[in-house]
């Protein structure tokens, strides 16, 4: 008669579930309050408030469809309770007596692992199932029959996705549990490994930012790979429950509810099964005597030791140099990194040996310190050409540019996306190259103190092979006497902001016209002329243009566009010098637009943040500011005709002592004739 090998023990399973019932009970209670009880509360409240049958039916269905919105919160709950379930299921591994007792049972290791693994997973999946059944009963009781399919489908999405995330996080926690013999080390390793790649990538980016001129310090290096290795981040993005609105010309006519990335959740669920299998393989070779050790697998101990040393050097080294204010000094930064690398190495050695007598491990410490020193030296001398790397124009598919350069200040920076015209791409590349060429004069810390003005330049190149390259330069000095110096940063920056094609992209009039409705216009910083109520006049008033009879705001908008096409509006000046002050008014003409919430028109205006999803037809306000100039003849003529400009109000140049049509104090020359011709009443 053949013998059977059991991989599961029902008695041990029931004992584990009974012993740790508070864990799965608490998890179930949390979800019970979040879904069925909350849903019932909404059902009762809606029935009291809405009397119309159609309105009530719509609101009840909407409440049921909102359940998957909790999936983002569910990722955090899975992260926490996955670790707690693993600590409960495999807690016997961290005590010598418990480990010896459990492994003395007449069970193979495969059966012991499988039983405990399923018990821990049941602490998460069974509450999901119970909550889903109760919620389904509530929906069937309160919702009309024609809405059952849609509501139950949304509930099924929640059940499957939440169970998938719980499977991954618990399996990953079980995998981490196999590598340690200490109960407190498990959650520490679990949290660290969940964020390790992103943290190391961020620390490397910060270190490179300190060493390499122009390397951006924000974000992390590694791109999509780093995101995939940070499951909390990517799952939170994937579990967004969105409303996809479709229709012609941006007008929503249908709404389809859907998960942001179901495939991502499925991939992580499969990864959870892989981690469970790997945990079993490690468990089969784990020594019972390792209970109490910080790292229980001998092969992993060197990885732990050198990993702690490396991360300590990067993290605390950069923090120390920043705290002491010497982050720009490469020698001091290197010294801080090496000091904390050594400290991290001996700290890890103490944890592994459970002793303070670790100085005899100096050889390994010297090796890791030497490796870190070589890394810092490679950064100091830029052995890989990071600082000087600029793509060829033929390699660039598009450019995103964010720059703070030039006046007037009617636009909040020089923000451009998807620059694809070859000539414009070459201009950006030339300016970038000039900034690198003048690096020594600009200063290694990017904070020069001797320029006539300064520019900020942040560029991201999207290359034709799909990769990206980003660089950021702040406080780059520019000089008035270099405006005509060929190839200088000042000259190339001035050429860039004079490019009318780029200026058109910055103001982006077309995006407002295509999707928006003009609702208001007003002038800022106008001067009220003397009258009976104010004999001396009044400065810095706001003049609204949307209430007077006979006003045609569309006509004003067309006048502005015509002046912009002529180059008399939207003129940029690299310096706030006399030329700029005498050729631009203090006054900005501001248009207020009403746009659909899902639209994101061009730069140059100020935007309210768009929600992830919104009801059909919801709008938001956006404004576009344009600084007026004396040469904007069509715009000024409209204002003189409809706003009382010249009879009740006047515009003032940035030279505040020179009003329209007046004589400058200390200057006997009358203002240019075109001012008087346009604005004189």
């Amino acid at each position: 008669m053949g013998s059977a090998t059991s991989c599961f023990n029902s008695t041990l399973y029931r004992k584990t579930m009974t012993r740790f019932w508070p864990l799965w009970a608490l998890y179930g209670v949390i979800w019970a309050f979040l879904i069925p009880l909350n849903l019932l509360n909404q059902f009762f409240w809606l029935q009291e408030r809405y009397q119309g049958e159609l309105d009530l039916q719509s609101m009840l269905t909407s409440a049921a469809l909102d359940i998957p919105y909790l999936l983002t919160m569910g990722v955090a709950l899975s992260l926490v309770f996955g670790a707690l379930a693993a600590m409960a299921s495999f807690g016997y591994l961290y005590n010598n007596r418990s480990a010896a007792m459990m492994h003395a049972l007449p069970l193979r290791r495969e059966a012991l692992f499988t039983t405990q693994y399923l018990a821990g997973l049941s602490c998460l999946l069974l509450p999901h199932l119970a909550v889903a059944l109760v919620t389904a009963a509530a929906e069937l009781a309160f919702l009309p029959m024609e809405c059952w399919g849609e509501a139950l489908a949304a509930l099924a999405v929640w059940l499957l996705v939440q169970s998938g995330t719980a499977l991954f996080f618990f399996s990953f926690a079980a995998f981490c549990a196999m590598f340690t013999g200490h109960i407190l080390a498990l959650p520490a390793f679990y949290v660290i490994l969940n964020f390790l790649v992103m943290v190391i990538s961020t620390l490397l980016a910060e270190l490179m930012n300190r060493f390499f001129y122009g390397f951006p310090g924000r974000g992390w290096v590694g791109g999509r790979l780093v995101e995939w290795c940070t499951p909390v981040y990517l799952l939170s993005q994937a579990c967004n429950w969105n409303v996809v609105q479709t229709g012609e010309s941006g007008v929503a006519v249908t709404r389809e509810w859907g998960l942001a990335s179901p495939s991502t959740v499925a991939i992580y669920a499969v990864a959870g099964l892989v981690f469970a299998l790997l945990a079993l393989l490690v468990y089969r070779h784990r020594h019972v005597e390792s209970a109490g050790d910080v790292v229980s697998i001998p092969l992993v101990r060197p990885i732990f030791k050198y990993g702690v040393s490396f991360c300590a050097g990067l993290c605390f080294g950069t923090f120390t140099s920043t705290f002491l204010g010497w982050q720009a000094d490469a020698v001091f930064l290197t010294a801080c990194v090496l000091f904390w690398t050594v400290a991290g190495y001996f700290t890890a050695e103490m944890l592994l040996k459970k002793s303070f007598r670790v100085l005899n491990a100096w050889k390994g410490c010297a090796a890791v310190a030497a490796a870190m020193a070589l890394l810092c030296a490679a950064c100091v001398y830029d052995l890989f050409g990071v600082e000087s790397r600029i793509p060829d124009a033929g390699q660039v598919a598009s450019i995103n540019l964010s720059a703070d350069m030039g006046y007037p200040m009617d636009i909040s920076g020089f923000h451009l996306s998807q620059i694809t015209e070859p000539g414009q791409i070459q201009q950006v590349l030339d300016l970038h190259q000039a900034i690198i060429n003048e690096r020594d004069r600009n200063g290694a810390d990017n904070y020069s103190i001797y320029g006539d003005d300064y520019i900020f330049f942040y560029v991201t190149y999207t290359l034709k092979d799909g990769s990206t390259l980003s660089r950021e330069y702040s406080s780059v000095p520019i000089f008035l006497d270099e405006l005509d110096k060929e190839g200088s940063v000042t000259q190339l920056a001035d050429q860039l902001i004079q490019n009318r094609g780029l200026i058109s992209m910055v103001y982006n009039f077309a995006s407002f016209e295509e999707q928006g409705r003009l609702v208001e216009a007003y002038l800022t910083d106008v001067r009220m002329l003397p009258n009976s109520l104010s004999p001396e006049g009044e400065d810095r008033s706001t003049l609204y243009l949307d209430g007077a009879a006979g006003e045609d705001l569309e006509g004003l908008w067309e006048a502005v566009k015509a002046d912009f096409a002529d180059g008399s509006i939207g003129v940029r000046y690299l310096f706030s010098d006399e030329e700029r002050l005498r050729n631009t008014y203090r006054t900005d003409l501001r248009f207020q637009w009403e746009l659909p919430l899902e639209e994101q028109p061009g730069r140059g205006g100020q935007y309210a943040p768009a929600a992830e999803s919104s009801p059909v037809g919801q709008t938001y306000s956006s404004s576009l500011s344009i600084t007026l100039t004396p040469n904007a003849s069509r715009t000024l003529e409209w204002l003189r005709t409809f706003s009382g400009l010249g009879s009740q109000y006047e515009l003032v140049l940035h030279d505040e002592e020179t009003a329209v049509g007046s004589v400058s104090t200390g200057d006997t020359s009358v203002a240019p004739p075109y001012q008087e011709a346009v604005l004189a009443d």
Side-chain angles (χ1 to χ4, degrees):
M1 181 176 180
S3 62
T5 300
S6 174
C7 291
F8 179 77
N9 186 277
S10 59
T11 302
L12 182 59
Y13 173 85
R14 290 194 301 271
K15 288 292 184 181
T16 302
M17 292 294 293
T18 303
R19 181 182 179 188
F20 296 106
W21 70 266
L23 176 63
W24 53 261
L26 175 62
Y27 186 65
V29 167
I30 291 174
W31 277 117
F33 271 96
L34 288 175
I35 297 184
L37 295 179
N38 180 50
L39 191 65
L40 287 172
N41 184 50
Q42 292 186 62
F43 283 170
F44 291 132
W45 182 81
L46 290 171
Q47 284 184 331
E48 293 179 0
R49 180 170 181 178
Y50 291 92
Q51 303 299 326
E53 182 177 349
L54 293 179
D55 288 342
L56 177 60
Q57 176 178 320
S58 175
M59 297 301 293
L60 291 175
T61 305
S62 178
L65 294 178
D66 284 343
I67 290 176
Y69 277 117
L70 296 170
L71 286 171
T72 302
M73 181 190 299
V75 173
L77 287 174
S78 295
L79 175 70
V80 174
F81 279 89
L84 294 177
M87 293 172 68
S89 300
F90 299 102
Y92 65 88
L93 295 174
Y94 309 131
N95 181 276
N96 286 315
R97 296 177 60 183
S98 298
M101 181 196 70
M102 292 293 287
H103 289 91
L105 294 175
L107 293 174
R108 299 173 69 248
R109 285 208 171 189
E110 289 82 358
L112 188 57
F113 175 86
T114 304
T115 302
Q116 294 300 99
Y117 175 84
L118 291 178
L121 188 60
S122 297
C123 290
L124 304 177
L125 299 189
L126 291 181
H128 294 168
L129 182 59
V131 167
L133 291 175
V134 174
T135 306
E139 291 177 347
L140 294 176
F142 285 88
L143 295 179
M145 185 177 299
E146 58 269 20
C147 299
W148 285 358
E150 193 176 15
L152 293 178
L155 179 61
V157 169
W158 170 84
L159 176 61
L160 292 175
V161 173
Q162 186 59 37
S163 298
T165 59
L167 170 63
F168 170 79
F169 284 113
F170 173 73
S171 298
F172 187 68
F175 176 73
C176 296
M178 299 301 109
F179 290 91
T180 181
H182 199 286
I183 187 65
L184 296 180
L186 168 56
F189 287 171
Y190 172 72
V191 173
I192 290 172
L193 291 177
N194 261 293
F195 297 95
L196 180 63
V197 176
M198 180 178 287
V199 171
I200 291 180
S201 178
T202 304
L203 291 174
L204 284 173
E206 185 64 25
L207 186 70
M208 295 172 73
N209 171 254
R210 305 297 175 84
F211 281 117
F212 298 134
Y213 178 59
F215 194 91
R218 62 186 82 177
W220 53 78
V221 295
R224 192 64 175 171
L225 177 61
V226 174
E227 295 179 0
W228 276 105
C229 294
T230 311
V232 177
Y233 173 81
L234 203 58
L235 279 173
S236 297
Q237 301 296 318
C239 289
N240 282 326
W241 184 247
N242 299 318
V243 178
V244 181
Q245 298 185 353
T246 59
E248 297 180 357
S249 302
V251 179
V253 294
T254 62
R255 296 193 303 174
E256 297 179 359
W257 301 76
L259 211 60
S261 180
S263 60
T264 299
V265 179
I267 290 172
Y268 275 108
V270 173
L273 298 176
V274 174
F275 276 120
L277 179 59
L278 293 176
L280 173 59
L281 296 177
V282 175
Y283 184 68
R284 292 176 61 183
H285 298 88
R286 177 191 172 99
H287 298 296
V288 178
E289 296 80 9
S290 64
D293 294 342
V294 175
V295 178
S296 59
I297 307 300
L299 183 63
V300 181
R301 293 186 179 186
I303 300 176
F304 170 78
K305 183 164 51 177
Y306 293 118
V308 170
S309 179
F310 181 76
C311 292
L314 289 180
C315 181
F316 294 107
T318 53
F319 172 79
T320 302
S321 63
T322 303
F323 179 78
L324 297 177
W326 287 12
Q327 65 269 24
D329 190 320
V331 176
F332 184 77
L333 176 58
T334 301
C336 291
V337 170
L338 291 179
F339 171 81
W340 284 107
T341 298
V342 172
Y345 181 87
F346 283 119
T347 300
E349 190 74 14
M350 292 176 193
L351 291 173
L352 291 175
K353 292 185 176 181
K354 293 183 282 187
S355 171
F356 294 111
R357 298 179 180 180
V358 294
L359 295 180
N360 58 348
W362 64 269
K363 292 182 180 180
C365 180
V368 71
M372 186 63 79
L374 289 175
L375 174 62
C376 292
C379 293
V380 170
Y381 295 103
D382 193 14
L383 298 182
F384 303 104
V386 175
E387 279 188 1
S388 58
R389 185 189 175 194
I390 295 181
D392 294 331
Q395 298 176 317
V396 179
S398 65
I399 294 178
N400 288 353
L401 176 64
S402 179
D404 187 2
M405 60 175 76
Y407 300 88
M409 306 300 291
D410 52 350
I411 56 174
S412 57
F414 206 77
H415 304 288
L416 297 168
S417 61
Q418 297 300 311
I419 300 174
T420 57
E421 199 275 320
Q424 296 171 353
I425 289 176
Q426 189 61 56
Q427 277 191 293
V428 175
L429 289 170
D430 291 342
L431 177 57
H432 188 179
Q433 184 65 61
I435 292 174
I436 293 177
N437 294 341
E438 297 182 10
R439 175 197 183 281
D440 293 337
R441 183 176 66 169
N442 297 346
D445 60 352
N446 293 1
Y447 290 96
S448 212
I449 60 174
Y450 51 82
D452 295 319
D453 209 329
Y454 305 89
I455 65 173
F456 170 85
F457 184 82
Y458 183 27
V459 60
T460 297
Y461 302 100
T462 300
L463 306 183
K464 292 180 179 178
D465 61 2
S467 62
T468 60
L469 173 68
S470 297
R471 291 295 182 265
E472 179 179 7
Y473 305 92
S474 59
S475 297
V476 178
I478 52 177
F479 306 89
L480 277 167
D481 58 3
E482 293 186 358
L483 270 172
D484 298 323
K485 182 180 179 181
E486 189 70 24
S488 67
V489 171
T490 305
Q491 187 232 16
L492 294 172
D494 186 58
Q495 289 182 357
L496 187 68
I497 66 172
Q498 301 305 330
N499 188 307
R500 294 301 294 181
L502 294 178
I503 296 299
S504 298
M505 292 174 63
V506 171
Y507 285 93
N508 204 356
F509 294 110
S511 64
F512 288 91
E513 293 179 319
E514 291 173 358
Q515 303 296 341
R517 182 175 67 89
L518 181 58
V519 295
E520 184 182 60
Y522 57 93
L523 297 171
T524 62
D525 283 1
V526 298
R527 176 178 294 174
M528 182 181 296
L529 292 173
N531 53 48
S532 58
L533 298 178
S534 179
E536 297 182 358
E538 184 177 339
D539 210 359
R540 296 188 179 277
S541 296
T542 298
L543 177 59
Y544 289 91
L545 306 174
D546 59 336
E551 289 182 1
D552 177 15
L553 295 186
E554 293 294 340
L556 176 60
W557 178 256
E558 293 299 325
V560 168
K561 289 199 303 177
D563 285 333
F564 187 88
D566 290 344
S568 56
I569 278 183
V571 181
R572 309 298 299 170
Y573 300 89
L574 190 59
F575 297 93
S576 186
D577 55 2
E578 183 178 357
E579 181 185 6
R580 181 255 168 161
L581 296 177
R582 294 188 63 83
N583 286 280
T584 56
Y585 292 120
R586 290 187 328 194
T587 301
D588 283 354
L589 173 59
R590 181 165 295 180
F591 292 97
Q592 200 76 21
W593 292 80
E594 183 181 87
L595 298 100
L597 187 60
E598 64 272 10
E599 297 299 328
Q600 291 292 333
R603 310 292 300 191
Q606 300 175 0
Y607 308 101
E612 294 178 355
S613 61
S614 61
V616 175
Q618 187 171 341
T619 61
Y620 73 102
S621 296
S622 177
S623 61
L624 174 67
S625 294
I626 304 163
T627 297
L628 296 179
T629 68
N631 292 328
S633 58
R634 299 175 182 84
T635 303
L636 296 177
E637 179 63 29
W638 189 98
L639 294 173
R640 189 173 70 88
T641 303
F642 293 106
S643 69
L645 194 65
S647 59
Q648 302 177 28
Y649 304 93
E650 62 181 354
L651 306 182
V652 182
L653 293 171
H654 271 281
D655 179 359
E656 295 190 3
E657 296 175 341
T658 307
V660 174
S662 67
V663 179
S664 298
T665 303
D667 185 356
T668 57
S669 63
V670 180
Y674 57 75
Q675 296 182 24
E676 296 182 358
V678 173
L679 293 177
D681 185 20

